[in-house]
Amino acid sequence: SLQTAAGLPLPALLRLLTGKRYVAGGRCKSAARLEGKVAIITGANTGIGKETARDLARRGARVIVACRDIAKAEAAASEIRAETGNQQVTVRKLDLADSKSIREFAEKFLAEEKELHILINNAGVMLCPYSKTADGFEMHLGVNHLGHFLLTFLLLERLKQSAPARIVNVSSLAHHAGRIRFHDLHGEKSYNRGLAYCHSKLANVLFTRELARRLQGTKVTANALHPGSVRSELVRHSFVMMWLWKIFSFFLKTPWEGAQTSVHCAVAEELESVTGQYFSDCQPAYVSPWGRDDETAKKLWSVSCELLGIQWD
């Protein structure tokens, strides 16, 4: 990265000189109310997902906290209900590493709820040692991309019936280092846990792009975002990253700051008809050339359908 005379990478020096405000990034300025709206947020028991749930609950939405760890999710939901006074914050079991769990979640949701206005695909794994999901997918690709791909597929008709509706996919700046390696999607030939995360975040961007194209005219939008470098549990699989995160915590966003772009994409009035975009700090941001490749996006779509055994035309 670009070094300064002080020997520091330029972004680090800027943060040092300009202090916390440089790191904090954009803030969602919308005062939109969400009474009567239903939102699902995956991975909302901790980090930016929890802060996103808290914000939407404060705006009056009915919020479904969709998580694997039910005990942790119940604790988070209870805290949000107490703090916001919104009793419509409920927990539902969802394990994105298991297509059976995803199907059960969707089936239960569709039986209980007549509307869905906001779907925030927030959950994710990062820097996992090599492992596979219940369906045999490499863990990063399986949870971060394929799990959310299937969830969105199963809930899409309800989103269309409830339109205007929004799909928000939490990606990352890391998508710039990602490639879709169709010859080795599950990392069986070569595996690097850092790159596996980057590949899955690129998949989020490409999925958003193709989904938005297919949803034109439905009043359901799809946008992706980079939350920023956030103090969160996402690095729990890497001792080195946890150590670095502690040392440089001053230069990282708080979960509240990291949630601002998710909230912006979910509620900002000016984004009602904006779709297929990628945001960072509550503003449109630069997408890597690989993230703008329509042919790769289409191929990834059909390969994803094949792997999941679904027809999504």
Side-chain angles (χ1 to χ4, degrees), residues 245-265:
W245 244 230
K246 278 193 171 70
I247 291 174
F248 296 106
S249 64
F250 176 77
F251 302 119
L252 298 172
K253 288 184 177 184
T254 64
W256 181 86
E257 289 163 351
Q260 293 303 300
T261 307
S262 293
V263 173
H264 176 72
C265 289

Side-chain angles (χ1 to χ4, degrees), residues 281-300:
D281 285 333
C282 300
Q283 294 178 331
Y286 180 75
V287 177
S288 83
W290 292 275
R292 286 179 269 130
D293 187 327
D294 290 327
E295 287 316 303
T296 303
K298 289 185 176 99
K299 186 175 177 184
L300 178 63

Side-chain angles (χ1 to χ4, degrees), residues 48 52 56 120 122 168 170 225 227 258-267:
I48 66 172
T52 304
L56 268 52
I120 302 181
N122 164 84
V168 178
V170 178
L225 66 99
Q260 293 303 300
T261 307
S262 293
V263 173
H264 176 72
C265 289
V267 309

Side-chain angles (χ1 to χ4, degrees), residues 26-32 59 260 264 267-270 282-283:
R27 181 175 177 175
C28 177
K29 297 183 174 74
S30 170
R59 293 170 188 269
Q260 293 303 300
H264 176 72
V267 309
E269 298 89 338
E270 67 269 26
C282 300
Q283 294 178 331

Side-chain angles (χ1 to χ4, degrees), residues 149 214 296-307 310:
F149 187 95
R214 288 166 174 257
T296 303
K298 289 185 176 99
K299 186 175 177 184
L300 178 63
W301 186 283
S302 69
V303 168
S304 300
C305 287
E306 216 171 289
L307 287 169
I310 59 175

Side-chain angles (χ1 to χ4, degrees), residues 84-95:
T84 63
N86 182 346
Q87 297 310 303
Q88 298 190 91
V89 180
T90 56
V91 171
R92 291 289 174 268
K93 168 99 174 160
L94 172 67
D95 183 355

